[in-house]
Amino acid sequence: MDTSIFNFFAKYIEQELGIIYNDLNEGALEKRLEEIKEILQLASVEELYQVCSKSGIFGHTKQLILDIATNNETLFFRDKKAFEMLREYIFPEILKRKNNITVRSLACSYGQEPYSIAMVLDELRQTEQFSSSIDASDISNRALEYAKQGKYSQLQVQRGLSSKYLVKYFSKDSADYWSVSPTLSNQINFFERNLLELNQERHKYDVILCRYVLIYQDTERKKKILDDIYKMLNPGGYLLLGGSESMIGLSKTYHEERYEGAICYRKEL
Amino acid sequence: MKLNVLSIDDSRSVLKYIEWSFDKMEHDVTTVQEGSKGVLMVKDHPGTYDALLLDWEMPDPDGMEVLRQIREFDKKIKIMMVTSKNNQEDIVKALDLGADEFIMKPFTPEMLAEKLQDLFS
């Protein structure tokens, strides 16, 4: 791809989302721009560049670029150890102190993460009495619409979801899609939020998941996001990052706790 | 954890695909085309196989019958049904009969590896 085209879109995406594209992931951006070009029925990425650089990026094109740049691929129960930690360590500890649990899924993408949390909470409800709510946000409207609909293909439900959960919490429609049951969807409130605007948040949570998204941010933005999340946590609240992500060099306000190979970061009680 | 897996499928091409998939994994696979022979292999070598990949749509005995027969003498072996059926009632029926997991065709080697890992995690 022409360097000026790459620089133009990479700069725009970084300004809007804080997501950095450089020479290491140039191919990924090129693939995504190709996809946008197809959707907009343009002849080439060069034409997309000409339109955007001449008239500016707004409306449908803006939404498409932001949607596609955020890479909304995910699976159910991604990183099983984190969900074991929620089930066996974090939620039971919270329930010793109070009888309601508030959870936030940041950058929830197509919804697999909040639905996985809802399944864990529903199972826990078989033995414990408590109330719970899950807020789930993403910057991408396209991903949020998908998540709200809660309809997944055969291929998607094969990723991370056991057959036992599949038949318990989903029902298959005539078009071969699996729809999530209202038991789960009724627990989740989906809305749009940019990770760079978390300072606007007013709600407090016992558990916040912010997984596999900080990797796309530079160090200063990572620090700011982690500071904002700290303010969103209730005392004693927990933050879960992705399995390969770490707090090293980013924040000293959290303290680390470990359970069976999984790590979480906690606010003082 | 290295697994020893037995795959039963009447289609030679599916078995070839499964063998090719296992070439990319650390696990071992043995393949067999007849359901009745597969039942005997599990029965005669107790504890040898950690998991069974079992085709549902085979001629007599079909996958459900093989599942039923094996569960009569072996409750421990993990059984994953390999199928192009994705009817909810059928899945429930097989789970009730003692199947542990499903993988729907078509699947990639990565999906098979993920499912196997999940079975033993």
Side-chain angles (χ1 to χ4, degrees), chain A residues 67-86:
Chain A
D67 279 349
I68 287 175
T70 47
N71 182 16
N72 291 304
E73 272 179 44
T74 185
L75 58 154
F76 289 96
F77 294 97
R78 182 173 186 182
D79 186 7
K80 291 269 186 310
K81 283 180 180 166
F83 284 91
E84 288 304 309
M85 190 183 208
L86 280 173

Side-chain angles (χ1 to χ4, degrees), chain A residues 194-211:
Chain A
N194 189 332
L195 271 184
L196 303 179
E197 293 167 357
L198 291 179
N199 54 349
Q200 296 172 9
E201 291 279 338
R202 296 291 170 265
H203 279 94
K204 300 275 185 196
Y205 300 93
D206 299 309
V207 181
I208 297 177
L209 292 91
C210 180
R211 306 191 314 146

Side-chain angles (χ1 to χ4, degrees), chain A residues 65-121:
Chain A
I65 290 175
L66 299 188
D67 279 349
I68 287 175
T70 47
N71 182 16
N72 291 304
E73 272 179 44
T74 185
L75 58 154
F76 289 96
F77 294 97
R78 182 173 186 182
D79 186 7
K80 291 269 186 310
K81 283 180 180 166
F83 284 91
E84 288 304 309
M85 190 183 208
L86 280 173
R87 179 184 288 121
E88 291 165 14
Y89 182 81
I90 294 177
F91 290 151
E93 190 283 324
I94 296 168
L95 290 174
K96 278 184 197 157
R97 294 186 275 124
K98 51 199 275 204
N99 64 358
N100 80 306
I101 299 176
T102 52
V103 184
R104 175 69 176 270
S105 167
L106 289 168
C108 69
S109 186
Y110 287 166
Q112 284 95 332
E113 181 176 275
Y115 287 126
S116 301
I117 299 163
M119 286 182 242
V120 173
L121 287 170

Side-chain angles (χ1 to χ4, degrees), chain A residues 75 80 154-155 157-164 166-168 170-172 176 178, chain B residues 86-88 91-92 95 99-107 111 114-115 118 121:
Chain A
L75 58 154
K80 291 269 186 310
Q154 187 63 59
L155 209 65
V157 296
Q158 292 229 92
R159 305 288 313 278
L161 191 64
S162 74
S163 300
K164 280 171 189 156
L166 177 66
V167 292
K168 184 172 178 186
F170 292 77
S171 57
K172 198 166 79 78
D176 260 11
W178 294 84
Chain B
N86 62 358
N87 181 299
Q88 198 155 3
I91 298 175
V92 172
L95 291 174
D100 296 286
E101 192 48 85
F102 274 81
I103 187 156
M104 316 286 181
K105 296 174 195 168
F107 55 83
M111 284 162 72
E114 265 175 27
K115 285 267 181 193
D118 288 351
S121 63

